[in-house]
Amino acid sequence: MPIDKSMNVLIVDDYKTMLRIIRNLPKQIEFNNVEEASDGAEALAKLRGGNFGLVISDWNMAPMTGLQLLQEVRADNRLKQTPFIMITAESKTENVVAAKQAGVSNYIVKPFNAETLKEKIEKVLGHA
Amino acid sequence: MPKPSRENEFLLAHRLAEIRANRPNVEPHIVSEVIRAVLTTMSEDLTIHDTALLLEVEELGRTIANAKIEIAALKVDDINGSHIPFATDELDAIVSHTAAATNAILESCETLDNVAATATGAMAANLQNATTRIYEACSFQDITGQRITKIVATLKTIEDKVARIIATFGPKVADIPTAPKPELTPGEELLNGPQLPREAMDQSDIDKLMASFD
């Protein structure tokens, strides 16, 4: 089954340039409905108020980090099944372990390329 | 306390007579009382250990005095007053400039993407591959931004430690004369580097300035 390009995708990063890059990179997928948030709290509000099929989030943000956002999502009955990809410069083992324990669907380390992003998106959406 | 010899007693008496002659209004018994009070505080002769300890204390005092002079020469007040804020402002300017440049690149890249959408075949594929590489490369702005944020945090730590040193040595540090600034060559005097946006003149300011010489 092909990826549903009409699903709502939320990308979360405190760097506007990163939001723009992530929005533009998965050309081969071309999601039609991409929304943006610049920190965890804003993202959580959008997730609770909408219907998203995928979250792609940075880790290092304030006041709510990407990890805290992930924990909130996994603790929310309505949101807990949402695929969640962490894209971050945090590349220490302890970070990856913490994200995995919090229930991350996949983990991409910055800097990354379009191919990696596409591959992980397809994987978490069950199309790999 | 060892008993004074007859010779010492004579010298002391002679000295007291001198003082009495110079200061006739001072009663001899007051002088005696003062001397007695001083002598009674010395319970016994200084031992070798006491002398060594005193020398250590003296050396410690000298070290502290030297440290104060060295810190004053470093102009620690300047570190927190201007050097660190200057460095932080420069780093902020780097983040701001790279963000603006990256956005401009991304905007051009999106324009190219729109052109690619109207092309077909190999040209479309080539254009899209090229823009994809540009998008990927632009993530440098995020990475450098995060690294700079770490440096700013380190500077903050240094600032706190310097503030503690200044607090420890007290305001007297500022009173100690500082070493003169190294002399700059005529060429170095004008090497100010790029100005921060709030301090910089824009082209119109420069045009006005240039015109003012005409």
Side-chain angles (χ1 to χ4, degrees):
Chain A
M1 195 171 72
I3 288 174
D4 176 12
K5 291 177 182 175
S6 65
M7 77 161 64
N8 293 318
V9 177
L10 182 65
I11 52 178
V12 193
D13 203 305
D14 53 350
Y15 276 79
K16 296 280 179 218
T17 48
M18 257 346 266
L19 289 173
R20 208 161 173 176
I21 290 165
I22 296 170
R23 177 187 275 275
N24 279 294
L25 264 186
K27 286 291 173 199
Q28 297 88 337
I29 299 174
E30 286 180 340
F31 288 113
N32 297 320
N33 301 309
V34 179
E35 276 207 50
E36 298 177 354
S38 58
D39 65 65
E42 186 188 346
L44 192 60
K46 286 195 171 181
L47 285 166
R48 285 184 173 148
N51 185 24
F52 290 87
L54 175 64
V55 180
I56 301 173
S57 176
D58 181 31
W59 182 315
N60 193 344
M61 299 176 293
M64 185 190 282
T65 67
L67 184 68
Q68 289 169 322
L69 170 65
L70 172 61
Q71 288 163 339
E72 290 283 348
V73 166
R74 291 293 178 251
D76 187 308
N77 268 336
R78 195 178 73 79
L79 302 175
K80 66 181 176 188
Q81 299 298 332
T82 312
F84 193 114
I85 298 175
M86 193 80 87
I87 300 187
T88 173
E90 307 290 347
S91 56
K92 286 190 173 176
T93 308
E94 65 203 52
N95 287 89
V96 182
V97 169
K100 188 67 192 163
Q101 284 173 345
V104 79
S105 309
N106 222 310
Y107 196 103
I108 300 174
V109 69
K110 293 176 184 174
F112 60 97
N113 60 35
E115 192 53 40
T116 304
L117 182 60
K118 178 174 175 278
E119 179 202 323
K120 304 302 181 200
I121 290 173
E122 286 177 344
K123 201 166 182 178
V124 302
L125 295 179
H127 299 274
Chain B
M1 191 161 45
K3 202 174 173 185
S5 65
R6 285 187 70 80
E7 188 184 356
N8 283 344
E9 277 180 358
F10 172 76
L11 287 172
L12 184 61
H14 182 70
R15 182 76 185 122
L16 285 172
E18 265 183 5
I19 293 170
R20 195 160 46 233
N22 288 337
R23 299 182 185 278
N25 296 332
V26 177
E27 292 296 321
H29 74 272
I30 295 174
V31 177
S32 303
E33 273 175 27
V34 170
I35 290 171
R36 198 174 298 115
V38 171
L39 290 178
T40 51
T41 60
M42 297 172 67
S43 58
E44 57 189 42
D45 282 348
L46 292 177
T47 65
I48 293 172
H49 291 301
D50 294 334
T51 311
L53 185 64
L54 280 177
L55 287 173
E56 285 291 325
V57 171
E58 191 186 352
E59 184 58 33
L60 196 60
R62 240 195 311 270
T63 305
I64 292 170
N66 285 340
K68 280 187 172 184
I69 290 167
E70 281 168 17
I71 290 168
L74 287 172
K75 297 190 84 177
V76 283
D77 287 339
D78 280 359
I79 294 175
N80 279 9
S82 60
H83 294 319
I84 290 179
F86 171 77
T88 308
D89 285 350
E90 290 285 324
L91 292 170
D92 285 344
I94 289 173
V95 173
S96 168
H97 285 304
T98 55
T102 310
N103 271 319
I105 294 167
L106 290 172
E107 204 167 317
S108 298
C109 209
E110 285 164 6
T111 305
L112 288 174
D113 266 345
N114 292 335
V115 173
T118 62
T120 53
M123 184 195 270
N126 284 342
L127 267 174
Q128 197 171 75
N129 281 341
T131 55
T132 299
R133 297 290 90 82
I134 297 171
Y135 286 128
E136 288 170 358
C138 281
S139 66
F140 84 93
Q141 199 268 326
D142 173 47
I143 307 287
T144 52
Q146 290 193 44
R147 291 199 189 286
I148 288 169
T149 303
K150 277 185 176 179
I151 296 170
V152 170
T154 305
L155 285 173
K156 181 71 191 146
T157 306
I158 294 170
E159 192 175 24
D160 291 345
K161 287 192 188 303
V162 169
R164 232 173 293 156
I165 289 170
I166 293 171
T168 305
F169 283 95
K172 283 179 184 169
V173 168
D175 301 335
I176 299 170
T178 57
K181 277 187 179 178
E183 279 194 22
L184 299 174
T185 66
E188 286 171 334
E189 280 174 356
L190 289 172
L191 292 179
N192 296 312
Q195 307 300 287
L196 290 170
R198 65 169 181 272
E199 294 165 2
M201 289 198 296
D202 63 18
Q203 189 57 50
S204 65
D205 294 328
I206 289 169
D207 290 345
K208 275 183 214 158
L209 185 60
M210 292 297 284
S212 73
F213 295 118
D214 294 338

